[in-house]
Amino acid sequence: DGGITQSPKYLFRKEGQNVTLSCEQNLNHDAMYWYRQDPGQGLRLIYYSQIVNDFQKGDIAEGYSVSREKKESFPLTVTSAQKNPTAFYLCASSRPTGGKETQYFGPGTRLLVL
Amino acid sequence: AQSVTQLDSQVPVFEEAPVELRCNYSSSVSVYLFWYVQYPNQGLQLLLKYLSGSTLVKGINGFEAEFNKSQTSFHLRKPSVHISDTAEYFCAVSGRSGGYQKVTFGIGTKLQVIP
């Protein structure tokens, strides 16, 4: 079955620590996205990538970094510069079709600060 | 610029009653609209989408939505809800912005089905 996997399901971060969230898709989609979800705020875009080796900042990129070395993978690193990292993180992917793309989501990773 | 307004943060409804979840949007370009459902601690699942054509769109789990251009609305409806419909529902608008697909989500509406 095709889909998007995210790991781990729960992640704990100590102060000053960088942590990496994994996102893998086997849908053969070119575009991938990372969103942050906080209660009552909907989804906010952190980073997106339209093709391998290219990515762009979204609306709330500060304190985060990404890489896109393979089409299937788009890992997100939450750095120590992100002062309020506790949130639910969602990865999505889509096949570019001129704005009509449907984004498909992974199951999410919940990040908690110790 | 594009935006989405979900007018109700929570909607309680009795089981087997009808429900409407309201969504209004604004967009300066071609409009593509989506409804997603999210169960607790899970990702978003696509319910339905409007890209073009018929303004009445049918989706999974018995949901449907109507695109109304004059009222800039895309309300979600179900004639008879079930306990399993308890979840959070997100309306979204999509368009090309700066060369990439920009999707703007509403803040969500929590549907609580009461037995």
Side-chain angles (χ1 to χ4, degrees), chain A:
Chain A
D1 288 341
I4 303 174
T5 57
Q6 291 186 242
S7 61
K9 188 171 177 64
Y10 295 94
L11 186 57
F12 298 91
R13 192 191 92 163
K14 295 179 181 178
E15 198 166 334
Q17 185 182 40
N18 292 353
V19 292
T20 298
L21 286 62
S22 169
C23 177
E24 304 276 334
Q25 55 99 358
N26 60 4
L27 300 168
N28 199 32
H29 286 170
D30 290 306
M32 297 186 75
Y33 311 81
W34 273 106
Y35 292 93
R36 171 179 170 141
Q37 185 179 22
D38 296 279
Q41 295 194 46
L43 278 69
R44 293 182 289 170
L45 183 65
I46 305 172
Y47 267 97
Y48 65 97
S49 169
Q50 296 187 88
I51 56 173
V52 175
N53 292 322
D54 182 67
F55 48 83
Q56 303 296 329
K57 293 181 179 180
D59 301 319
I60 55 164
E62 185 174 352
Y64 300 97
S65 66
V66 294
S67 63
R68 187 84 188 276
E69 297 177 0
K70 298 187 299 181
K71 187 175 184 178
E72 303 78 20
S73 179
F74 191 40
L76 173 74
T77 296
V78 183
T79 75
S80 56
Q82 172 50 246
K83 298 306 179 187
N84 183 24
T86 297
F88 193 50
Y89 291 86
L90 289 161
C91 178
S93 70
S94 68
R95 179 180 295 119
T97 51
K100 298 183 179 181
E101 299 92 341
T102 298
Q103 291 191 3
Y104 295 92
F105 286 81
T109 293
R110 188 167 297 280
L111 177 60
L112 300 164
V113 177
L114 294 176

Side-chain angles (χ1 to χ4, degrees), chain B residues 13-51:
Chain B
V13 62
F14 285 104
E15 193 174 14
E16 297 184 5
V19 69
E20 178 180 83
L21 305 184
R22 297 181 291 169
C23 173
N24 287 90
Y25 68 90
S26 68
S27 176
S28 58
V29 295
S30 298
V31 174
Y32 308 111
L33 295 157
F34 303 81
W35 274 101
Y36 288 88
V37 60
Q38 184 180 37
Y39 300 100
N41 290 312
Q42 294 186 27
L44 274 64
Q45 179 184 2
L46 180 69
L47 268 181
L48 49 78
K49 59 185 175 183
Y50 171 79
L51 302 180

